Amino acid sequence: MTDDEAFAAFVTDAEPRLKRAFTLLRGADVGADATAEALAWAWEHWAEVQAMGNPVGYLYRVGSSKTRFREERFPHAVPPPDAPGFEPGLVPALARLTVRQRTAVVLVHGCGWTHQEVADALELSRSSVGTHVDRAMAQLRIELGVDR
Amino acid sequence: MTDLEQQIKAWADATVDLAAEAPGVAAPPEPAVPSTRARRWARPLVVAAVAVALVGIGIVVVGRGDERRVRTGPAGPVTTTTQHGPRDARDIVAESLFAGGAGDAPIGTIGAAFTEAQFTELWGTLEPSPKSRGFGGPGPAPDLDFGHTVVLSIVVGGDGCPTEFAGFRNTSGHRIIEPVFDRPDPVGPCDREVIPIRYLIAIDWDTTYPTIVVQVPTAETGVVEQLQLRRSQPDPVVVELETDIGQVHAGDQFDVNVAIQNATGAPIDTVGCGRPFALGLRRGGELYAAGQGWCRQEFAIPTGSSVYRVTLMAGRNGCTTDPTAVVPERCLDDGSPADLEPGIYEMVLLTPEGFDALPLRRMIEVLPRDR
C-alpha cells in the first residue's frame, strides 16, 4: 500500500470518528472546522501520524487546539423531543456536568471510544478518564432518576 | 450496555443526524482517494497534463465583452472514470476573473482577497502578459459580493498557449484542493519556455467548506505552495502561536511555533535582528523578554504558510547588582536573576519592523521552579 492509499484508508476511518466527537462536543459548525483542521494537519504530518499509537486521539487534540477560540456553549443542537431512545432531560443534565466529565462521557458512551483513546485525546491518565466517566454517569443517574 | 448508556448513544446519534441535516452545514463527505501529497507532487508543470482531471466537471462558457469567462457547474453524466475523483471540489462554484502576466511573482505565488478593498488593490496590480497569446488586459474590475466570495490569486506555470481555469479538484483530504486548467482550443505544439501566469479566481463561499486549503505547484518539481482560506478569517496576514503547553516552571525553556498565513500574494519585507520573531512574557505591565540586537537584517515572510520556531524562556533576562535595588530586580547571591513569580502570563510576540499582524492572546501559567 502506498502512502497515499494508506492516508486515504486512514481518513476513511478517522474522519467519521473525529466528526462525530467534534459535532457532539463543539457543534456542527465548529465540529466541521475542527475535523478539517485535524485532517489537514494529519495530511501535512503523515509520517508522524503513521507512527502514532492512537492518531485519532492526538488529532482530536489538534482539532480542539486549532478551534479553541471559537465561541461555543453546550448543547449546540437539541434533537426534537420525539427523537427515539433518550430521556429529554438528558441534554440539560449533560450540560450541567463539568467540561471534562461531559467530554469523557460523550466520547466513551456517545462515540464508543475506549478509555485509553479518551486519555490520549485529553492528555489524561486512563484512570482519570475512568474517574470522570464514573462521576459523570453517577451525576446523570441522580439527575435523571435512573437506576444502573 | 445500561439504559443510561443507551440513552447517551441515542442522543448522540440523533444529534449527529440533526447536524447532517441542518441547512448550511455540510454533510459528512465521502472518503476521498488522494492523488498526491505535498512536497512529493511530481506532476509536470505544463497545464495540458491537468486537463485529464476534468472528467465529470460541467463547464459553461459565458461571454462577457471581450473576456472569456468560465464557470464551473454541477457535473453532467460521467462517461469516463478517473481515480482522482474530485467529488467534493467539483461542487465548488468558481469563476475565472483574469488570466495574464504575473510580473515578478514566481510560479507558486498564492494569495487571496477577502474584502472589496483588498480586491481593488489586487486588481490594480494586474498586467497582461506580452509573452503569451490569448491573455488580455485586466479591464474594469467586476463587482463582487464579498459576503459570499473570496478571490484567489495564483501564479502557475504556463507554456505560452491559452488555457482556461476549469475548476478545482481534491488532492489528499476533502478540503485540500488544487485548480485545474484546460486547453480548449489546441493551437499546435506549445514548446515555449515555461512562463508564470497569474489567475484571479472568484470562489463562492457558499459552495465550499468554511475552511479549505488551496495548493499550487511551484517551479520546483514536487514542491507545492499552500494557502488556507477561512471564511471567518478575512485578515490577509494571520499569525498564530502554536503550542500545547499551558504550564511551565520558572526557568524552563520551551519552543513555540509562530505560524503565519500570508495571503497578500507577495512576500512581506521586514527588518529585524538575528531572527524575525521573538517571544516574551508579560504580567502586570512588565515584559520579560530577551534583549534585541541592534543590527538591521532583512527578512522576507513568504506567501502562503510559513512557520518559525521560537524558544521562549520563563525567566528574567537580567538583574542588577545594585544592593539598594529591590528584589526581584536585584541579582541573587550567586549573581543570577530571581525567578519569575508564579502566575498567569501573556505570551507576547515581538515582531520585526514591517510586520503588523498580531496573534490572538495566549496565556501561560508559570509555576514555581521545579527543583
Side-chain angles (χ1 to χ4, degrees), chain B:
Chain B
M1 185 181 284
T2 66
D3 184 51
L4 181 55
E5 291 169 3
Q6 288 176 344
Q7 286 197 36
I8 295 171
K9 173 77 164 44
W11 160 76
D13 290 342
T15 302
V16 171
D17 289 345
L18 186 70
E21 294 166 3
V25 178
E30 296 181 24
V33 178
S35 56
T36 52
R37 293 215 325 277
R39 309 292 165 192
R40 298 196 302 107
W41 192 15
R43 198 179 57 171
L45 293 178
V46 291
V47 289
V50 296
V52 177
L54 288 174
V55 175
I57 296 181
I59 302 174
V60 181
V61 179
V62 182
R64 178 180 159 180
D66 56 356
E67 292 180 70
R68 294 197 79 195
R69 317 190 83 193
V70 178
R71 182 189 297 275
T72 63
V78 177
T79 55
T80 310
T81 58
T82 169
Q83 64 177 355
H84 298 310
R87 293 184 62 87
D88 293 334
R90 72 179 180 181
D91 292 332
I92 296 174
V93 174
E95 186 176 2
S96 175
L97 305 175
F98 171 80
D104 297 329
I107 294 169
T109 299
I110 184 166
F114 295 87
T115 65
E116 187 170 353
Q118 292 167 7
F119 177 62
T120 301
E121 184 178 346
L122 178 63
W123 194 266
T125 66
L126 300 180
E127 56 184 72
S129 172
K131 297 171 71 175
S132 57
R133 292 178 285 157
F135 301 125
D143 291 329
L144 299 173
D145 176 5
F146 280 93
H148 299 271
T149 306
V150 59
V151 175
L152 187 66
S153 171
I154 57 175
V155 178
V156 299
D159 56 7
C161 285
T163 56
E164 286 183 350
F165 166 72
F168 290 97
R169 70 171 196 165
N170 293 99
T171 60
S172 297
H174 301 296
R175 307 184 193 219
I176 302 169
I177 63 174
E178 63 186 18
V180 290
F181 300 89
D182 194 10
R183 181 176 297 154
D185 183 21
V187 291
C190 301
D191 54 359
R192 303 181 190 183
E193 61 178 326
V194 173
I195 58 171
I197 301 172
R198 180 192 296 274
Y199 286 87
L200 259 55
I201 298 164
I203 298 174
D204 183 347
W205 270 129
D206 295 339
T207 62
T208 74
Y209 289 109
T211 302
I212 51 177
V213 176
V214 182
Q215 71 176 35
V216 294
T218 66
E220 184 180 349
T221 300
V223 177
V224 298
E225 195 66 61
Q226 291 186 334
L227 180 68
Q228 185 182 70
L229 303 180
R230 300 177 68 173
R231 187 168 191 173
S232 58
Q233 187 60 70
D235 195 332
V237 180
V238 178
V239 56
E240 284 186 275
L241 303 181
E242 295 181 341
T243 177
D244 293 331
I245 298 172
Q247 290 180 329
V248 294
H249 293 278
D252 283 355
Q253 283 193 344
F254 56 101
D255 289 336
V256 176
N257 282 342
V258 178
I260 295 168
Q261 287 281 341
N262 174 13
T264 63
I268 303 170
D269 295 324
T270 68
V271 176
C273 185
R275 310 181 69 169
F277 297 99
L279 284 168
L281 296 176
R282 181 161 53 205
R283 182 167 182 256
E286 289 289 328
L287 175 65
Y288 305 97
Q292 298 293 296
W294 290 100
C295 62
R296 287 179 65 83
Q297 290 175 267
E298 295 181 353
F299 298 97
I301 310 300
T303 60
S305 303
S306 54
V307 177
Y308 299 82
R309 178 161 288 192
V310 177
T311 300
L312 175 58
M313 189 182 80
R316 302 173 193 276
N317 289 281
C319 56
T320 176
T321 55
D322 181 353
T324 64
V326 296
V327 175
E329 283 75 18
R330 193 173 69 224
C331 295
L332 302 178
D333 292 342
D334 63 1
S336 63
D339 282 348
L340 287 182
E341 294 169 8
I344 305 295
Y345 288 74
E346 178 186 357
M347 273 193 240
V348 178
L349 180 66
L350 306 173
T351 59
E353 185 180 317
F355 187 91
D356 299 325
L358 288 173
L360 291 173
R361 208 158 177 240
R362 289 294 301 269
M363 312 303 287
I364 192 166
E365 183 176 11
V366 176
L367 304 172
R369 182 179 287 268
D370 188 19
R371 299 184 188 280

Side-chain angles (χ1 to χ4, degrees), chain A residues 3-5 7-8 11-12 15 19-20 23-24 28-29 32-33 35-37 39-40 43-44 46-47 58 61 65-70 74 77-80 83-88 90-91 94 105-106 109-111 123 136-137 140-141 144 146-148, chain B residues 1-16 18-20 22 24-38 40 171-176 209-211 213 215 224 226 228 230 232 240-244 305 360-362:
Chain A
D3 265 6
D4 292 339
E5 290 168 342
F7 185 78
V11 169
T12 301
E15 181 171 48
K19 187 143 189 161
R20 183 180 179 95
T23 298
L24 293 174
D29 286 346
D33 279 358
T35 305
E37 296 278 9
L39 291 176
W43 174 74
E44 291 176 349
W46 180 228
Y58 189 86
R61 279 156 55 189
S65 174
K66 297 273 188 184
T67 56
R68 61 189 174 278
F69 297 111
R70 299 282 291 272
F74 186 89
V78 180
F86 70 94
E87 162 68 38
L90 174 63
V91 176
L94 283 169
V105 81
V106 167
H109 293 307
C111 301
E123 291 185 284
M137 293 297 280
L140 290 173
R141 286 190 187 98
L144 299 176
V146 296
D147 296 327
R148 297 187 72 84
Chain B
M1 185 181 284
T2 66
D3 184 51
L4 181 55
E5 291 169 3
Q6 288 176 344
Q7 286 197 36
I8 295 171
K9 173 77 164 44
W11 160 76
D13 290 342
T15 302
V16 171
L18 186 70
V25 178
E30 296 181 24
V33 178
S35 56
T36 52
R37 293 215 325 277
R40 298 196 302 107
T171 60
S172 297
H174 301 296
R175 307 184 193 219
I176 302 169
Y209 289 109
T211 302
V213 176
Q215 71 176 35
V224 298
Q226 291 186 334
Q228 185 182 70
R230 300 177 68 173
S232 58
E240 284 186 275
L241 303 181
E242 295 181 341
T243 177
D244 293 331
S305 303
L360 291 173
R361 208 158 177 240
R362 289 294 301 269

